[in-house]
Amino acid sequence: MTSNSGVKAAPPGWVPVEHRFLGLDKRTFGPALITLSVALVLIYGLPAVNAVIPWRNEIRAGEVLDLGDGATAVPPVGWQLENGTLVGTGAARPESLQALLATGGATIDLRGASYSGSAEAFLDQVERSRGAGPAGVDGTQGTVTTTAGLVGIVRTTTGPAGDGLDVAFKMAGSGQAAEAAPALLITVRTAPGQFERYRDVVAGFLRSVAPGTGR
């Protein structure tokens, strides 16, 4: 290609020799390195930082979960307290309790409620509110007795979203009628096929549930 002045114009994409390195345009190296650095930080840097930063609310040995009115449970050491109150750090109310424990592939959710009736009737009501009657639960029903003597109703659940347990207690303290006591629903969920991995930890947690002194 020749310009009107007779000087031959450079072809499109031509790079002056002083800007070449191994056939590449050295002027593009800076932006390319910046883009590569950002990509490496996103791919490797942030997960690495996340791995080395300890969970802020990690459960330590000796810590106890406050279920209100003196009721307690011992959370698994090393799990994360996503929501809830430890004994000595606040005042939980059993009728409005909301607590959540989590680890890599499992969660334990605790909800308190006022309910006049048995633990089994309470669990039936919870499952109906979810849109499925007791007959629709894909598992078995049984009971669990805690170290303190509370008896809870247990139903297993299975499905594409995961496996787990629904457990209902009536948190009757000393001298308190069970049907008039606050209700506690514990929902355990794991990834599909992962429940066995957490079975012993969950069983230990359920056995640790203890009622308060009643009111």
Side-chain angles (χ1 to χ4, degrees):
M1 181 179 296
T2 305
S3 66
N4 294 334
S5 62
V7 178
K8 191 175 183 179
W14 180 79
V15 178
V17 66
E18 65 271 22
H19 293 305
R20 296 181 200 166
F21 179 74
L22 296 179
L24 301 175
D25 187 349
K26 292 190 290 185
R27 294 170 296 184
T28 64
F29 286 6
L33 288 174
I34 292 174
T35 302
L36 179 61
S37 299
V38 172
L40 290 174
V41 168
L42 292 175
I43 295 172
Y44 300 107
L46 294 183
V49 171
N50 186 56
V52 299
I53 294 177
W55 284 353
R56 187 177 59 183
N57 294 322
E58 184 175 319
I59 297 295
R60 294 171 294 183
E63 291 184 325
V64 177
L65 194 61
D66 186 353
L67 305 183
D69 286 347
T72 59
V74 180
V77 173
W79 286 42
Q80 169 84 344
L81 179 62
E82 298 276 357
N83 187 23
T85 304
L86 295 174
V87 170
T89 63
R93 292 187 55 81
E95 299 88 351
S96 57
L97 177 74
Q98 293 189 15
L100 177 63
L101 298 159
T103 189
T107 59
I108 300 176
D109 184 82
L110 300 95
R111 299 297 173 103
S114 297
Y115 184 81
S116 297
S118 67
E120 184 171 8
F122 174 61
L123 190 53
D124 288 346
Q125 177 173 296
V126 169
E127 288 165 352
R128 283 195 299 271
S129 71
R130 292 172 176 168
V137 177
D138 299 324
T140 58
Q141 175 172 313
T143 61
V144 58
T145 302
T146 73
T147 303
L150 279 178
V151 178
I153 304 300
V154 182
R155 289 178 185 153
T156 61
T157 63
T158 60
D163 305 324
L165 299 173
D166 291 329
V167 187
F169 289 102
K170 292 305 296 286
M171 303 297 287
S174 176
Q176 187 178 19
E179 295 209 344
L184 173 66
L185 175 70
I186 300 178
T187 302
V188 182
R189 292 290 182 269
T190 72
Q194 294 296 308
F195 185 78
E196 285 299 318
R197 178 182 174 188
Y198 300 99
R199 176 183 293 277
D200 292 344
V201 172
V202 170
F205 175 76
L206 293 176
R207 286 195 298 269
S208 76
V209 175
T213 56
R215 289 175 289 181

